[in-house]
């Protein structure tokens, strides 16, 4: 297995991996343009030249980033693809100087095994919260637990990992 930075040519495969999970509301559906705009945030996992998983790191603040769109093909689940992708994204976060990673997930046990813990309330101080309110990004709104995104977050657990 190879984990590498995503390229624009990988977006079709990423969307195909994510589509069934978005249809079942495990992941949020996004337009194709959103993936292209954020391709530099993604890593992909390949087995024999085929993209079998993806994940993204979205920086939200000086010391905070979110793990997004971590997904693998069903036939590779349990083979360590998700773990390898998450490890690569954690390495990326460290390289950027991020000290805390957030995720919104149904896969609580998976993320707990990787050092994430469930959180309640806000994980940022009030001044940072006020700045983040200015973001147009829906993932930031989910992190802030804003009322308008509650339908997107039902059943998910907010988790945090600190380095």
């Amino acid at each position: 297995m190879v984990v590498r930075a995503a390229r624009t040519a990988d977006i079709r495969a990423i969307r195909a991996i994510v589509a069934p999970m978005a249809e079942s509301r495990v992941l949020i559906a996004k337009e194709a343009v959103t993936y292209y705009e954020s391709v530099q945030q993604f890593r992909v996992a390949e087995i024999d030249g085929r993209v079998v998983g993806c994940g993204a790191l979205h920086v939200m603040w000086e010391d905070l980033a979110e793990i997004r769109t971590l997904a693998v093909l069903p036939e590779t689940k349990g083979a360590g693809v998700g773990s390898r992708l998450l490890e690569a994204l954690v390495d990326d976060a460290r390289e950027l100087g991020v000290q805390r990673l957030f995720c919104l997930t149904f896969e609580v046990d998976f993320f707990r095994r990787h050092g994430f813990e469930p959180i309640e309330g806000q994980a940022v101080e009030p001044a940072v919260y006020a700045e983040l309110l200015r973001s147009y990004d829906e993932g930031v709104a989910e992190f802030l637990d804003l009322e308008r995104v509650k339908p997107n977050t039902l059943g998910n657990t907010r988790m945090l990992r600190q380095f």
Side-chain angles (χ1 to χ4, degrees):
M1 177 186 341
V2 174
V3 175
R4 61 169 176 77
R7 298 185 286 262
T8 56
D10 298 319
I11 297 301
R12 289 178 198 268
I14 291 169
R15 292 187 72 217
I17 292 167
V18 171
M21 291 176 223
E23 288 171 13
S24 63
R25 298 186 55 87
V26 171
L27 292 176
I28 294 177
K30 298 175 187 168
E31 299 297 330
V33 68
T34 304
Y35 287 102
Y36 286 107
E37 289 174 341
S38 60
V39 68
Q40 69 277 7
Q41 297 176 7
F42 275 87
R43 290 208 167 254
V44 295
E46 284 183 332
I47 296 177
D48 298 326
R50 179 180 178 217
V51 174
V52 297
C54 62
L57 178 71
H58 179 80
V59 175
M60 298 167 69
W61 199 251
E62 178 181 5
D63 66 338
L64 178 67
E66 180 183 10
I67 300 294
R68 293 184 172 180
T69 321
L70 186 61
V72 300
L73 288 173
E75 63 265 27
T76 63
K77 197 165 185 178
V81 176
S83 291
R84 289 277 305 278
L85 280 163
L86 182 56
E87 289 166 13
L89 295 168
V90 168
D91 289 344
D92 291 346
R94 283 191 174 116
E95 189 173 318
L96 290 169
V98 171
Q99 298 158 352
R100 299 179 304 151
L101 284 175
F102 169 77
C103 71
L104 183 67
T105 186
F106 290 105
E107 299 292 337
V108 174
D109 291 338
F110 171 82
F111 280 97
R112 194 183 296 274
R113 285 193 307 272
H114 291 278
F116 287 76
E117 292 296 329
I119 61 169
E120 296 290 331
Q122 289 306 318
V124 294
E125 60 191 52
V128 173
Y129 182 93
E131 289 289 331
L132 290 174
L133 281 173
R134 296 179 179 147
S135 174
Y136 294 103
D137 187 274
E138 286 298 296
V140 173
E142 291 165 353
F143 169 74
L144 296 175
D145 205 24
L146 299 181
E147 195 63 37
R148 68 179 170 82
V149 294
K150 291 287 188 190
N152 295 346
T153 64
L154 290 176
N156 279 288
T157 299
R158 300 168 77 237
M159 301 184 80
L160 195 69
R161 176 179 171 174
Q162 299 188 49
F163 306 130

